[in-house]
Amino acid sequence: MAIHNVPIPSRQLYIDGEWREPVKKKRIPIINPATEDIIGDFPAATAEDVDIAVEAARRALARDDWGSTTGEQRAKYLRAIAAKVLERKSELAILESLDCGKTLFESAADLELSIVNGHMESCPGSGCRLCSNTLSRLNYTCLELGEICREVGLPPGALNILTGLGPEAGAPLSSHPHVDKISFTGSAATGSKVMTAAAQLVKPVTLELGGKSPIVVFDDIDNLDIAVEWTLFGCFANTGQVCTATSRLIIQESIASAFLDRLILWTKNIKISDPLEEDCKLGPIISSAQYEKVMKFISNAKNEGATILYGGERPQPTIITDVNTSMEIWKEEVFGPVLCVKTFKTEPEAIELANDTEYGLASAIMSKDAGRCERFTKVFQTGIIWINCSQPSFCQLPFGGKKRSGFGRDLGEMGLEKYLNIKQVTEYTCDDAWAFYKSPSKN
């Protein structure tokens, strides 16, 4: 097991610029996925804490030191926060790996593109206040963000961080009458509940939910190994626990056998270890509960007639063939290192298979035919499209999907706009009367 010398912090809820103990004084243990040892705990917010945090946020919006600040003034805070995050990146990456099981490389990279930071930059950057509920994971780095905001002098209430569980903290936040906007990232099932709660008050919602994304590989690719590596990275990065994971490989029949042979060889070469170890490429699944769900998906696929071509046991990545479109493994998001494979002969067949999903987050195509790639960008029913790659993400570009994958966009200018309210202002400057009504006669 890898050794680290980063102290494990113990924080409270971050509300109104201060660390506050939850009203009910509850805490939840944090389990290291790599060892299954309890390494700490985090505060469990409830509806009472949500009320306190929301009121703190509304006071911040009403004060001149935050609500009346300009974009330039808010940008100074954001730059100071970013500088602090970079300064502590090594420490924060270790904490995230201990919390979630990500490899150190992935933790460090995700610090710059994480869901929390993505929302955090957009929301205060637009002058709004934010209550962030991190549910049961990502608590160390999220709470340390509160400490960083305190250090840089972010005005009290501009950012409030509530950790806890969905029913106790997330649900009260979604339905709170003084929360003006909800931006949620998570499962489609939970997203539906968030949307239902928000609808009771006609509250705007942005949802970034799950996916069952395709990667379509044509036989005209120049280099088989390049396409194989992108296929592995698209599905097995972060142990497959990525909403955009291209977990459905749709491969042209003429190269399927050779491609799968190379795919297995590359998969066998993946270093599986403690995520803190150097060059680890695949760490543990985030929790025992999620592990059991993943294994259930694999078992169900086998029972439905699919073939476990490789893996299927802990802690291996898994490749499943002989899949048909009625199977659960083809339809549902696994959120684990499981790739299902289906072949095609013609381009129209590939298009039909790629769009054969209720989700619409991401898709990828591997082909040297530029015209074909352009056609697929038009016919893919997704919000994110990769050409000859899978998973590269840039904070300048809008991120989001359609269908059961949600709606609205994070990141980029569109990620900022969702927190803004457009006002129409009309001023009458003419000295003449409007003269719509007849003026009463003067005596």
Side-chain angles (χ1 to χ4, degrees):
M1 185 178 71
I3 305 298
H4 70 88
N5 58 359
V6 173
I8 304 297
S10 180
R11 300 288 186 190
Q12 302 291 351
L13 303 174
Y14 186 70
I15 299 176
D16 209 15
E18 299 177 348
W19 295 109
R20 297 193 180 194
E21 187 177 30
V23 171
K24 293 188 176 179
K25 305 184 186 304
K26 292 183 178 179
R27 298 186 72 85
I28 299 172
I30 293 178
I31 298 173
N32 181 347
T35 64
E36 297 189 321
D37 294 331
I38 295 176
I39 57 174
D41 55 29
F42 64 92
T46 57
E48 294 83 354
D49 302 298
V50 170
D51 286 338
I52 296 170
V54 170
E55 292 314 306
R58 297 208 73 91
R59 287 196 302 271
L61 191 62
R63 290 196 316 266
D64 289 342
D65 67 346
W66 185 248
S68 299
T69 52
T70 64
E72 182 179 2
Q73 290 169 323
R74 293 190 292 272
K76 290 180 179 179
Y77 287 117
L78 294 178
R79 293 191 186 100
I81 292 168
K84 282 284 187 181
V85 169
L86 291 176
E87 181 183 307
R88 296 181 56 187
K89 186 166 73 170
S90 297
E91 168 204 350
L92 294 174
I94 290 174
L95 290 175
E96 186 143 332
S97 291
L98 291 171
D99 189 5
C100 305
K102 293 179 184 178
T103 67
L104 269 179
F105 174 82
E106 289 167 327
S107 290
D110 285 352
L111 279 170
E112 300 175 11
L113 281 172
S114 70
I115 299 302
V116 173
N117 285 339
H119 292 320
M120 191 267 169
E121 289 169 3
S122 297
C123 196
S126 62
C128 304
R129 64 266 180 259
L130 171 68
C131 289
S132 174
N133 182 286
T134 60
L135 301 183
S136 58
R137 289 290 173 175
L138 297 172
N139 294 292
Y140 280 143
T141 48
C142 188
L143 289 169
E144 289 309 294
L145 179 63
E147 179 63 14
I148 287 172
C149 289
R150 190 187 65 80
E151 291 174 0
V152 303
L154 188 71
L159 175 69
N160 301 281
I161 301 175
L162 304 180
T163 53
L165 300 177
E168 289 80 23
L173 187 61
S174 299
S175 60
H176 201 287
H178 294 160
V179 171
D180 299 323
K181 160 80 179 182
I182 296 289
S183 184
F184 172 79
T185 299
S187 70
T190 305
S192 178
K193 293 178 182 178
V194 169
M195 189 173 177
T196 299
Q200 308 310 305
L201 296 171
V202 198
K203 184 181 302 184
V205 176
T206 298
L207 300 176
E208 197 274 278
L209 309 176
K212 192 67 178 179
S213 302
I215 179 167
V216 181
V217 182
F218 281 88
D219 62 6
D220 64 349
I221 51 176
D222 287 324
N223 188 309
L224 207 65
D225 281 342
I226 290 177
V228 165
E229 184 178 12
W230 278 117
T231 300
L232 291 186
F233 186 76
C235 186
F236 298 153
N238 197 27
T239 319
Q241 298 164 122
V242 182
C243 55
T244 56
T246 41
S247 59
R248 291 187 300 136
L249 170 60
I250 301 170
I251 177 81
Q252 197 151 26
E253 192 175 277
S254 55
I255 61 167
S257 179
F259 192 93
L260 290 175
D261 287 344
R262 295 300 295 170
L263 191 68
I264 291 173
L265 290 175
W266 274 78
T267 303
K268 288 180 177 178
N269 204 40
I270 295 174
K271 181 176 179 179
I272 304 170
S273 67
D274 186 304
L276 295 182
E277 287 187 12
E278 185 177 358
D279 207 32
C280 173
K281 296 299 188 228
L282 192 139
I285 290 174
I286 194 167
S287 68
S288 59
Q290 182 59 27
Y291 167 74
E292 294 299 333
K293 289 180 182 178
V294 172
M295 297 307 296
K296 183 67 173 176
F297 271 111
I298 296 171
S299 175
N300 288 348
K302 189 174 181 179
N303 291 338
E304 287 184 296
T307 299
I308 310 303
L309 183 67
Y310 181 82
E313 298 179 0
R314 189 175 190 175
Q316 293 172 312
T318 299
I319 301 169
I320 301 178
T321 56
D322 299 321
V323 173
N324 65 56
T325 57
S326 65
M327 290 182 179
E328 177 189 55
I329 197 68
W330 176 263
K331 294 180 175 181
E332 296 300 327
E333 181 181 43
V334 176
F335 218 66
V338 180
L339 177 71
C340 65
V341 184
K342 191 160 181 58
T343 61
F344 71 92
K345 292 180 180 179
T346 66
E347 184 174 312
E349 185 184 1
I351 293 170
E352 182 178 359
L353 288 171
N355 290 331
D356 181 33
T357 173
E358 294 181 354
Y359 294 97
L361 186 53
S363 51
I365 178 172
M366 306 291 294
S367 172
K368 71 176 184 180
D369 185 331
R372 172 185 285 144
C373 291
E374 184 177 358
R375 288 194 297 276
F376 268 74
T377 64
K378 295 177 181 178
V379 299
F380 274 143
Q381 296 172 4
T382 60
I384 302 164
I385 298 169
W386 293 294
I387 298 175
N388 292 321
C389 60
S390 179
Q391 303 308 312
S393 185
F394 303 91
C395 63
Q396 299 91 341
L397 300 179
F399 183 99
K402 57 190 296 186
K403 300 196 283 189
R404 278 184 67 194
S405 291
F407 51 85
R409 294 296 181 266
D410 294 323
L411 305 180
E413 288 188 18
M414 291 188 70
L416 183 65
E417 289 171 357
K418 69 181 183 181
Y419 292 106
L420 302 177
N421 180 44
I422 298 174
K423 295 180 179 180
Q424 182 203 81
V425 179
T426 303
E427 180 183 4
Y428 187 67
T429 59
C430 182
D431 291 334
D432 295 335
W434 188 242
F436 179 77
Y437 299 103
K438 182 178 179 181
S439 176
S441 60
K442 296 181 180 179
N443 294 327

